[in-house]
Amino acid sequence: MGYYDSNNWTQDGGAYYAELLPRISQITLTMSPLTVVPSHLTRLSSSKIYVKTTSDSAARTIVLPGRTAKDAPLSLQQSCQLDSNNKTGSLRVKAEREERKEHISPLQAKQLSGCKSVQCSKCGLVLLKDNMQYLDLPSENWYEMLDYWHCHKPDHKHGHEGGDVISKDALKPRRSFALVGLTYVMVVRNDICSERIKVLDTSPKMVACSACSCDVGIVDRLDQGIVKLYKWNLSLEPKSIGNDITLCRYSLEIFVSEILLEVIEFHSTHQFGIAALSGEETILCYLWVFNSDISYTSNIQQEPTRAMKVFYTEQPDVRNQEIVTEIVELPSSAVNNILKVLERRHNELPESLRTFGKWNVSLLHRL
């Protein structure tokens, strides 16, 4: 996979970033800093490029996020465009069409039902009792979709006699029966193992692991006997025989991406405000999902990774005021975490790719 050397352009503040756009089957490679077209820029295979910036510099093999088309030229030197103003080299290569993996949300009821235990992902403390049953909730937007499914809203007084009225809060967990949402597992508080959690004196009331104090969930605002455990702070121990056991867990950004993807699907909006859970709706960051499905590699992320390209800012005047902004509320610790991820990925990009107008450019990993 190539190597670093004191003469390698990636060592001296340099970087590369390769992006696959699957819808148009195109790979774009950006290398920075570059002062001349590389002396050797050759396609080694359908997914690897050999780069040697000058005749006496160290060589590097770049792994691309997809396979180049069969008619892509073996030598790519003539395709490389050099921008001397920002010392950046770039090229575009046609890619083979690929079938994207079917998108499946993480930690659904089936996964939870098949595991041995549900643990705090930070310290491994078992949180839920082992006799639990799990059922997936409908989409987070199910109540809003009632406008389309019914001739009137369920709470509309229309004079019909009898019959149950569907309520937004009707779906609640029962003893030994948990409901699984997009980003949380909703359980009756008594189903949490004795003294494994502590309720904090915060607003709203957060739930922390009693062993490591990690914020594992939140008390339901309408029913104090119900707790929502955040999936990004949970890990699953599979039912397995033997010593080689790998816990199943997903990072926060995967679930943030899940939220964004669902809102895009249901509301066709790509502009979001990220706010901390509190009494007041204070937006800490604005996000614009520029492309919800790409794959990329870089000198930091050398394995092809599925992601969404996002623009972000903390300045409200930058966003388009005419576009509806969907609000995504997260615990303050989660907001701070996701802001750190955005900043880190932003700084890992070649300098010429870090901004789009007044927006900062970054990436969020997704399934």
Side-chain angles (χ1 to χ4, degrees):
M1 183 160 323
Y3 55 91
Y4 288 102
D5 184 89
S6 59
N7 294 320
N8 197 336
W9 55 267
T10 58
Q11 279 286 72
D12 189 20
Y16 75 82
Y17 171 78
E19 179 179 287
L20 167 65
L21 300 177
R23 291 185 180 180
I24 61 174
S25 300
Q26 179 178 280
I27 296 173
T28 302
L29 172 63
T30 301
M31 299 168 286
S32 175
L34 284 181
T35 54
V36 294
V37 175
S39 60
H40 293 83
L41 188 55
T42 307
R43 185 171 70 102
L44 286 179
S45 68
S46 61
S47 59
K48 292 183 179 180
I49 290 179
Y50 175 85
V51 180
K52 195 173 175 66
T53 52
T54 61
S55 58
D56 58 349
S57 66
R60 178 151 182 84
T61 301
I62 293 176
V63 179
L64 298 176
R67 300 170 65 88
T68 58
K70 293 180 179 179
D71 57 353
L74 290 177
S75 178
L76 301 170
Q77 276 183 283
Q78 294 182 347
S79 303
C80 184
Q81 302 294 318
L82 189 67
D83 188 335
S84 57
N85 293 327
N86 56 27
K87 298 181 180 179
T88 299
S90 63
L91 61 90
R92 290 184 174 88
V93 184
K94 185 179 178 182
E96 287 185 358
R97 284 202 170 273
E98 64 173 41
E99 293 293 329
R100 305 296 274 180
K101 293 181 180 178
E102 180 184 0
H103 175 247
I104 299 176
S105 297
L107 301 191
Q108 292 183 334
K110 184 177 180 180
Q111 279 181 285
L112 288 158
S113 298
C115 74
K116 181 180 179 181
S117 64
V118 177
Q119 308 174 1
C120 167
S121 63
K122 185 175 181 180
C123 70
L125 184 70
V126 176
L127 297 176
L128 293 182
K129 296 178 180 178
D130 58 7
N131 60 342
M132 296 293 296
Q133 298 182 56
Y134 299 91
L135 179 67
D136 286 320
L137 283 167
S139 160
E140 303 285 320
N141 298 278
W142 70 274
Y143 190 75
E144 297 175 27
M145 293 302 292
L146 290 176
D147 285 335
Y148 301 96
W149 295 335
H150 297 271
C151 60
H152 47 71
K153 292 183 179 180
D155 56 358
H156 179 66
K157 307 294 185 181
H158 53 75
H160 291 187
E161 297 296 332
D164 294 330
V165 176
I166 301 174
S167 168
K168 187 175 183 178
D169 302 304
L171 297 180
K172 292 184 177 181
R174 303 192 305 272
R175 190 67 183 268
S176 301
F177 194 91
L179 298 179
V180 183
L182 186 67
T183 60
Y184 58 84
V185 180
M186 186 162 53
V187 298
V188 175
R189 189 168 170 178
N190 289 337
D191 283 330
I192 297 176
C193 296
S194 178
E195 300 180 352
R196 297 297 172 90
I197 63 166
K198 52 187 177 182
V199 178
L200 306 180
D201 187 19
T202 56
S203 181
K205 290 185 177 180
M206 302 301 296
V207 174
C209 171
S210 60
C212 67
S213 298
C214 174
D215 291 340
V216 293
I218 187 171
V219 175
D220 188 83
R221 62 183 181 85
L222 297 178
D223 189 335
Q224 301 294 301
I226 293 176
V227 171
K228 290 182 177 179
L229 298 175
Y230 293 125
K231 287 183 177 180
W232 58 81
N233 283 331
L234 301 178
S235 60
L236 307 186
E237 180 184 357
K239 294 178 180 177
S240 176
I241 299 176
N243 298 324
D244 187 16
I245 297 176
T246 302
L247 296 177
C248 178
R249 66 182 67 171
Y250 296 90
S251 63
L252 169 64
E253 67 177 308
I254 294 296
F255 292 103
V256 172
S257 296
E258 289 292 312
I259 296 171
L260 302 181
L261 288 169
E262 184 171 78
V263 174
I264 290 171
E265 179 181 356
F266 279 92
H267 297 284
S268 297
T269 183
H270 289 69
Q271 190 161 291
F272 300 85
I274 308 298
L277 283 170
S278 62
E280 300 179 359
E281 192 177 86
T282 304
I283 298 177
L284 302 179
C285 175
Y286 290 93
L287 274 183
W288 173 11
V289 179
F290 183 71
N291 194 322
S292 62
D293 192 6
I294 67 167
S295 293
Y296 82 100
T297 55
S298 69
N299 52 294
I300 304 297
Q301 189 72 30
Q302 296 180 359
E303 293 296 325
T305 303
R306 196 174 185 181
M308 54 173 61
K309 177 179 279 189
V310 299
F311 303 156
Y312 73 100
T313 181
E314 297 178 26
Q315 307 300 321
D317 57 326
V318 171
R319 68 187 181 91
N320 188 338
Q321 303 288 342
E322 297 179 358
I323 299 178
V324 175
T325 299
E326 292 289 335
I327 306 301
V328 175
E329 286 190 308
L330 297 168
S332 57
S333 58
V335 175
N336 292 332
N337 185 317
I338 210 68
L339 287 174
K340 289 179 181 178
V341 171
L342 290 169
E343 184 177 3
R344 185 178 76 249
R345 299 261 170 73
H346 165 77
N347 292 329
E348 289 172 357
L349 291 170
E351 191 170 348
S352 62
L353 301 181
R354 292 179 185 173
T355 57
F356 182 83
K358 295 183 179 180
W359 293 84
N360 295 313
V361 181
S362 190
L363 300 157
L364 285 175
H365 292 179
R366 54 158 295 186
L367 295 183

